[in-house]
Amino acid sequence: FSRSNFRCYIVICQVNTIIIRFYKLRLIENQEALSLSAKAALYQHQFEEAARLAAELPPENDDRPALEAEIVQLHHMEQDGKEHYNLALSSARKGHWADAEFHITRAITLIPYLPEPWQLAVKLALIQERWQLVQERLRRSLVAVPENTQLQRLADEMGMAV
C-alpha cells in the first residue's frame, strides 16, 4: 500500500466496524450491510471475502451484478499482474533484460500494492547498473509499499532518505 492507500485501508477497517454497528442498531438493512462490507473487502484486495459477501446478497439485489463484475475484473487484474511478475522473474533468470523490463513494468502497473514486483524491479535496475532507474524505482516503491523493510533497507544503503 502507498501511505495514502494505507490510510484508506485504516478508514475501510473503521468503515467495516461502523457497518456492523449500524446493522446491529438496525440503522441499515442486512443487504446494505452485506453490500458495503463486500465493497470494503474488495478495496482491501480480499477477493474471496468480497465474493462470499456478494453471494449472500439475494439475486434481485441491485448492487449484486455490478459488485460481482468488479470482483471478477479486479481479481483478473491481480492474476495478470502476478503472471507478468512471474514472466519477468523467468526472463531475468535467463538474462533477457528487455523482456524482464517489459513484464515487470506491466506487473507494477497492475499490482502496485504488492512488494514483490517492486523488489524485482529494483533488482533488475541494479543488475543492469542503471543507477538512476534504481533510485527512481526505490522512490516509487517506498510510496507504494512503505512498510516493506527490504526496500527501506536498500534505500538506506543507497543513501536515500526514507
Side-chain angles (χ1 to χ4, degrees):
F1 293 119
S2 69
R3 286 189 174 99
S4 62
N5 286 347
F6 184 71
R7 283 189 215 112
C8 290
Y9 172 78
I10 297 300
V11 169
I12 289 170
C13 290
Q14 293 168 343
V15 166
N16 276 337
T17 304
I18 292 168
I19 291 166
I20 292 166
R21 286 183 186 159
F22 277 15
Y23 175 68
K24 286 180 180 177
L25 294 171
R26 302 198 185 276
L27 297 175
I28 60 174
E29 298 288 323
N30 184 44
Q31 288 184 31
E32 288 176 291
L34 284 171
S35 179
L36 290 171
S37 293
K39 290 173 185 176
L42 178 62
Y43 294 112
Q44 293 176 64
H45 309 287
Q46 297 174 351
F47 301 111
E48 292 78 17
E49 178 66 7
R52 183 189 68 73
L53 291 165
E56 289 184 32
L57 289 168
E60 66 274 2
N61 182 285
D62 292 338
D63 290 342
R64 186 175 173 168
L67 188 55
E68 288 174 338
E70 192 170 5
I71 291 166
V72 168
Q73 179 185 10
L74 291 175
H75 188 258
H76 281 137
M77 281 178 60
E78 184 172 275
Q79 296 300 39
D80 288 348
K82 289 178 179 179
E83 188 173 313
H84 279 286
Y85 167 78
N86 287 325
L87 289 167
L89 187 58
S90 177
S91 295
R93 287 180 177 154
K94 295 175 186 172
H96 299 152
W97 307 125
D99 288 343
E101 286 291 338
F102 170 80
H103 289 295
I104 204 60
T105 300
R106 291 291 301 140
I108 288 170
T109 301
L110 294 167
I111 50 174
Y113 50 87
L114 294 179
E116 294 84 1
W118 287 109
Q119 291 167 351
L120 181 56
V122 171
K123 288 177 186 177
L124 284 172
L126 280 168
I127 289 168
Q128 298 174 75
E129 298 181 359
R130 297 174 64 191
W131 309 117
Q132 189 172 2
L133 185 58
V134 170
Q135 289 186 338
E136 176 192 328
R137 285 180 173 172
L138 272 174
R139 266 193 297 281
R140 290 179 55 213
S141 71
L142 293 172
V143 171
V145 287
E147 71 284 353
N148 188 273
T149 56
Q150 184 179 355
L151 291 165
Q152 290 172 356
R153 190 171 36 254
L154 186 56
D156 287 343
E157 289 172 8
M158 298 217 37
M160 295 176 62
V162 179

